[in-house]
Amino acid sequence: MTRRWATALLAGAAIVGLAAGARAEIQERTIRVSNGVNEDHPVGNGLAKMNACVGEKSGGKIKLQGFWGGALGGDLQATQALRSGTQEMVITSTSPLIGVLPALGVFDLPFLFNDEKEADAILDGEFGTYISDMMPGVGLVNLAYWENGFRNLTNSRHPVAKAEDFSGIKVRVMQNNVFLDTFKTLGSNAVPMAFGEVFTALETHAIDGQENPVVTIDTSKFYEVQDYLSVTRHAYTPFMVLYSKAKWDQLAPEEQEILKECAIVGRDEQRAVSRAKSEESLARLKEEGMEVNEVDPAEVDKMREAVKPVYDKHAEAIGKDIVDRMMAELAKIRGKS
Ligand code: TK8
């Protein structure tokens, strides 16, 4: 056998050995993933894709097990379980975590993004990394930003076609001061509440309305307890795919790499389904009897104008440098810098 062949064989054996060694680092494990939404939400598609990816890259050793409808607790409760090291993962809106990391409030500023393209550019770019790099400091690791989406108002009182129509409507908002202030500034009676309590509160008329993306309104069956959908697109909420830092640090580098890569694979699937399903959901909400109105752009501009003071009012709590950095990034994306 020539020296070259021997060298090639040795090199091959080394690579196979390394791969086997790396695989040996990968433990058999089932990772529990807490979700507030139901499994037929696009997050279900994203998690299925991420799970298939993780299974393939780990030789079937690592599995993701989704828990839905807040079965393992709401967003904030599940996130606290991660921080205490008693649970592995949660896919949560950033908004309820504002008490954990005030900087997350930057995503709650009303009418911040004009479209999904801007949201993706910010979240998947330097700014998104800048915020993700803050998460280990509060006991969390953000694997990716998935899409909750542009939020719209539903209620059981009357359509909201003009800025003044918010007046008198009792609207549930997430447990988040920026949303609370935004909806109070718009004239509604804003009530902070965990997502898991919203359906019953609507059904019993403890509240008149809520606001969420149409795929959430559809898959949470809010059409059963709401009459009007007003397409306001007043905010865009990201989901974070969070891992407990205490548990993350117990994973082998190979396992961490697999989870990070597959969270991105899951992200692309989840966003694609979220955007494709939005049209279907809108059609279903109409079929289920909801009266849907697209708010006139001139009226949206009036709403934008009305809530502008919310930016200055909350800049200090969020971090003025963070708000300024966000606005500078957006100006760059819009070609205005
Ligand atoms: C689901 C929540 C929900 C959010 C809300 O876990 O609370 O209204 O938009 O989708 O994160």
Side-chain angles (χ1 to χ4, degrees):
M1 182 186 298
T2 65
R3 177 189 297 275
R4 217 159 41 158
W5 264 108
T7 313
L9 270 180
L10 273 174
I15 289 165
V16 167
L18 272 176
R23 279 268 169 102
E25 286 284 311
I26 299 169
Q27 306 296 320
E28 293 270 353
R29 57 176 87 242
T30 297
I31 296 169
R32 292 168 303 165
V33 187
S34 177
N35 295 283
V37 293
N38 293 323
E39 189 167 10
D40 57 344
H41 185 283
V43 168
N45 303 76
L47 194 58
K49 190 84 174 182
M50 183 177 173
N51 189 33
C53 173
V54 163
E56 188 197 327
K57 289 178 180 286
S58 69
K61 286 188 171 181
I62 302 177
K63 294 180 184 61
L64 303 177
Q65 185 182 6
F67 290 82
W68 304 95
L72 294 185
D75 289 350
L76 182 59
Q77 193 184 351
T79 301
Q80 299 296 33
L82 269 60
R83 296 179 70 205
S84 63
T86 57
Q87 191 172 305
E88 298 89 347
M89 280 181 73
V90 63
I91 299 176
T92 172
S93 290
T94 52
S95 312
L97 310 187
I98 197 169
V100 174
L101 183 72
L104 293 174
V106 69
F107 297 123
D108 302 316
L109 292 170
F111 298 105
L112 181 68
F113 297 140
N114 291 325
D115 52 39
E116 286 85 352
K117 194 161 164 281
E118 287 187 358
D120 294 354
I122 290 287
L123 295 169
D124 302 343
E126 279 170 25
F127 189 89
T129 303
Y130 170 60
I131 296 291
S132 290
D133 288 349
M134 297 178 191
M135 301 309 282
V138 290
L140 299 163
V141 176
N142 182 37
L143 300 183
Y145 293 95
W146 288 12
E147 176 163 280
N148 188 346
F150 279 98
R151 308 179 73 90
N152 303 294
L153 178 77
T154 65
N155 84 92
S156 54
R157 298 277 295 274
H158 53 68
V160 169
K162 300 190 301 298
E164 49 271 27
D165 292 344
F166 282 93
S167 175
I169 299 180
K170 198 169 183 183
V171 181
R172 172 269 177 178
V173 294
M174 294 183 282
Q175 296 146 307
N176 172 295
N177 292 337
V178 180
F179 270 87
L180 195 58
D181 200 13
T182 296
F183 276 80
K184 279 183 178 166
T185 304
L186 287 167
S188 64
N189 172 6
V191 179
M193 184 185 292
F195 183 65
E197 297 163 30
V198 173
F199 187 94
T200 304
L202 291 170
E203 192 175 37
T204 57
H205 296 287
I207 53 174
D208 302 317
Q210 65 83 47
E211 42 82 51
N212 252 292
V214 288
V215 286
T216 300
I217 297 165
D218 177 17
T219 56
S220 297
K221 300 191 184 323
F222 288 157
Y223 51 79
E224 292 178 357
V225 287
Q226 295 281 259
D227 303 313
Y228 305 104
L229 165 64
S230 303
V231 182
T232 49
R233 291 168 65 89
H234 55 268
Y236 175 97
T237 307
F239 279 128
M240 276 185 158
V241 181
L242 294 177
Y243 210 102
S244 160
K245 172 115 180 37
K247 287 186 169 293
W248 181 259
D249 292 344
Q250 295 164 13
L251 297 176
E254 292 76 11
E255 294 176 308
Q256 293 177 349
E257 210 38 53
I258 288 171
L259 286 162
K260 278 193 284 191
E261 282 174 31
C262 294
I264 300 299
V265 169
R267 175 197 69 189
D268 295 346
E269 173 78 1
Q270 193 272 337
R271 284 178 180 169
V273 172
S274 173
R275 290 161 194 179
K277 243 187 157 179
S278 286
E279 286 313 309
E280 279 172 43
S281 288
L282 202 54
R284 189 170 14 263
L285 296 178
K286 288 175 184 169
E287 282 159 27
E288 293 289 348
M290 287 194 83
E291 186 182 319
V292 179
N293 71 290
E294 297 272 343
V295 180
D296 181 280
E299 286 302 323
V300 172
D301 287 345
K302 281 187 201 160
M303 294 173 191
R304 275 176 186 272
E305 206 47 43
V307 296
K308 265 199 177 130
V310 172
Y311 280 62
D312 291 341
K313 199 170 160 192
H314 293 268
E316 196 185 331
I318 294 167
K320 190 169 176 341
D321 53 330
I322 291 166
V323 176
D324 290 349
R325 183 169 176 155
M326 167 66 88
M327 300 321 286
E329 287 291 318
L330 279 173
K332 244 191 277 175
I333 291 166
R334 293 165 182 166
K336 289 178 184 157
S337 59

